[in-house]
């Protein structure tokens, strides 16, 4: 079992009535990888993730999660569930328990829970340890969700839009936590609408649109990004000039000669992941 990839999906189809929410998905996530699913609203990300978690049934296709079919029921399913951690898009249960009570309560469900205090520190809730869940801000509530996802020392962690509502500092410390989990061997499947988050965290990303995978690649090579021409910008005659080039160094050298040194307000830009992604899903020409 330890030889199998963390996740294997082939020919996955999910129909809601006449609508195909997933129209045949093929995907493999290796153990230890951070893999991000990107796609616009309604693309099929949550449907995919919830089938992998065993919360929805596939219409057809094959799915294996830690070597196990998530649609299986019974005691084997319970053992399997112990090895996965889940952070759903939104939760609002146990609002009357404190942070520490909620996390301690969840820790009891697992065979090998992480240390409760350590998890509280890792998600940055030390100051709110005795606050009730309903007294937390949106971003703090989200950190509690993440704590509940990782308390069971999962081999595989599902994160559905985990940093929605986080301030920039909280997002960065969350990224650190995810990198730490990866260094400890955890596999992570992430859905996010933040392209900087995918860029910062993911080993590979899959862009999904209309129930189909458009491309699977590393963030740096998606959509031919590494080979895309660079944009060179500078100020001349009172306005910003721009050109696109496959050899921006050469262009900069030419400009430098022309200006006899300093090029006013020089910038050399490569398309970022967001631009490439928006082009891929047809939102940017
Ligand atoms: P978002 O980014 O908005 O969370 P998503 O990529 O997670 O979107 P899904 O929630 O997987 O998208 O939805 C995919 C498609 O399936 C959408 O068209 C949605 O309307 C439809 N859908 C999802 N759940 C159901 C359901 N229970 N019954 C009918 N249609 C559904």
């Amino acid at each position: 079992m330890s030889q199998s990839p963390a996740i294997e999906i082939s020919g996955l189809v999910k129909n809601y009535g006449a609508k195909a929410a997933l129209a045949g998905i093929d995907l493999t996530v290796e153990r230890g990888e951070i893999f991000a699913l990107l796609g616009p609203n309604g693309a099929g990300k949550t449907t995919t993730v919830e089938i992998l978690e065993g919360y929805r049934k596939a219409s057809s296709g094959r799915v294996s999660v830690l070597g196990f079919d998530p649609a299986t029921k019974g005691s084997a399913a319970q053992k399997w569930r112990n090895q996965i951690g889940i952070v759903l898009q939104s939760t609002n249960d146990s609002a009357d328990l404190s942070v520490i009570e909620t996390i301690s309560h969840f820790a009891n469900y697992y065979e090998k829970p992480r240390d409760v205090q350590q998890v509280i520190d890792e998600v940055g809730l030390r100051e709110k340890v005795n606050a009730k869940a309903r007294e937390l801000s949106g971003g703090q509530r989200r950190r509690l969700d993440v704590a509940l996802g990782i308390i069971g020392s999962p081999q595989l962690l599902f994160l559905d839009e985990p940093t929605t509502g986080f301030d920039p500092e909280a997002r960065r410390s969350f990224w650190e936590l995810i990198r730490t989990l990866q260094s400890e061997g955890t596999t992570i499947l992430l859905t996010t609408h933040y392209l900087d988050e995918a860029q910062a965290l993911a080993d590979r990303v899959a862009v999904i649109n209309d129930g189909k995978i458009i491309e699977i690649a590393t963030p740096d090579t998606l959509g031919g990004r590494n080979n895309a021409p660079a944009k060179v910008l500078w100020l001349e005659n009172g306005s910003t000039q721009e050109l696109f080039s496959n050899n921006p160094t050469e262009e900069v050298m030419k400009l430098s000669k022309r200006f006899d040194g300093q090029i006013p307000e020089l910038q050399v830009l490569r398309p970022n992941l967001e631009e490439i992604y928006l082009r891929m899903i047809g939102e940017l020409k």
Side-chain angles (χ1 to χ4, degrees):
M1 178 165 144
S2 61
Q3 300 308 315
S4 64
I7 296 172
E8 271 183 297
I9 303 175
S10 62
L12 179 62
V13 173
K14 175 69 181 178
N15 300 314
Y16 295 113
K19 182 178 165 49
L22 299 179
I25 299 268
D26 299 300
L27 183 70
T28 300
V29 177
E30 299 300 336
R31 298 222 178 208
E33 232 186 337
I34 300 181
F35 194 98
L37 286 181
L38 308 176
N41 292 139
K45 304 178 297 296
T46 300
T47 301
T48 305
V49 171
E50 292 195 354
I51 290 171
L52 297 172
E53 294 165 346
Y55 291 141
R56 297 193 203 192
K57 248 179 88 76
S59 301
S60 63
R62 232 192 95 250
V63 175
S64 167
V65 176
L66 300 176
F68 194 87
D69 177 354
T72 315
K73 303 266 180 269
S75 60
Q78 194 50 46
K79 209 163 173 348
W80 169 78
R81 199 155 275 290
N82 245 296
Q83 295 166 13
I84 63 172
I86 297 176
V87 178
L88 297 172
Q89 252 182 46
S90 63
T91 42
N92 47 22
D93 51 335
S94 27
D96 279 322
L97 295 179
S98 69
V99 165
I100 189 153
E101 285 166 346
T102 308
I103 300 174
S104 304
H105 176 72
F106 272 78
N108 287 329
Y109 290 132
Y110 296 96
E111 277 169 20
K112 282 183 259 157
R114 294 165 77 88
D115 181 75
V116 172
Q117 285 294 348
Q118 193 189 334
V119 167
I120 288 170
D121 284 348
E122 281 173 338
V123 299
L125 280 177
R126 189 188 293 188
E127 259 122 67
K128 292 285 168 185
V129 66
N130 292 313
K132 298 211 185 321
R134 66 176 152 74
E135 296 163 354
L136 300 176
S137 74
Q140 291 163 346
R141 173 69 236 200
R142 206 71 193 115
R143 295 184 199 199
L144 177 58
D145 293 338
V146 172
L148 301 182
I150 65 173
I151 188 67
S153 321
Q155 285 184 34
L156 170 62
L157 179 62
F158 292 100
L159 297 169
D160 203 354
E161 298 181 24
T163 59
T164 303
F166 278 30
D167 61 35
E169 195 190 341
R171 173 164 295 137
R172 281 197 164 54
S173 53
F174 171 79
W175 292 353
E176 273 314 305
L177 168 60
I178 296 306
R179 291 189 188 111
T180 304
L181 292 171
Q182 181 184 36
S183 71
E184 292 168 1
T186 314
T187 307
I188 291 151
L189 182 70
L190 166 80
T191 73
T192 183
H193 287 291
Y194 299 115
L195 279 296
D196 60 338
E197 185 157 287
Q199 175 75 55
L201 288 180
D203 297 306
R204 289 188 302 149
V205 301
V207 176
I208 166 166
N209 197 10
D210 225 359
K212 290 187 273 300
I213 288 181
I214 307 180
E215 191 180 338
I216 299 174
T218 65
D220 289 339
T221 60
L222 191 79
R225 188 179 160 206
N226 47 330
N227 296 318
K231 182 151 88 171
V232 181
L233 297 142
W234 70 97
L235 190 69
E236 192 168 3
N237 301 327
S239 64
T240 302
Q241 314 290 319
E242 66 171 47
L243 61 80
F244 289 87
S245 170
N246 287 318
N247 190 348
T249 309
E250 192 176 300
E251 298 300 335
V252 169
M253 281 162 69
K254 276 196 231 157
L255 282 167
S256 176
K257 223 170 176 182
R258 205 162 94 210
F259 282 99
D260 203 14
Q262 282 286 332
I263 307 162
E265 298 191 17
L266 172 71
Q267 290 184 74
V268 179
L269 305 173
R270 298 248 179 217
N272 65 21
L273 186 59
E274 180 151 320
E275 286 164 330
I276 290 286
Y277 163 79
L278 290 172
R279 237 174 263 166
M280 288 179 85
I281 62 165
E283 295 293 324
L284 201 71
K285 297 296 166 237

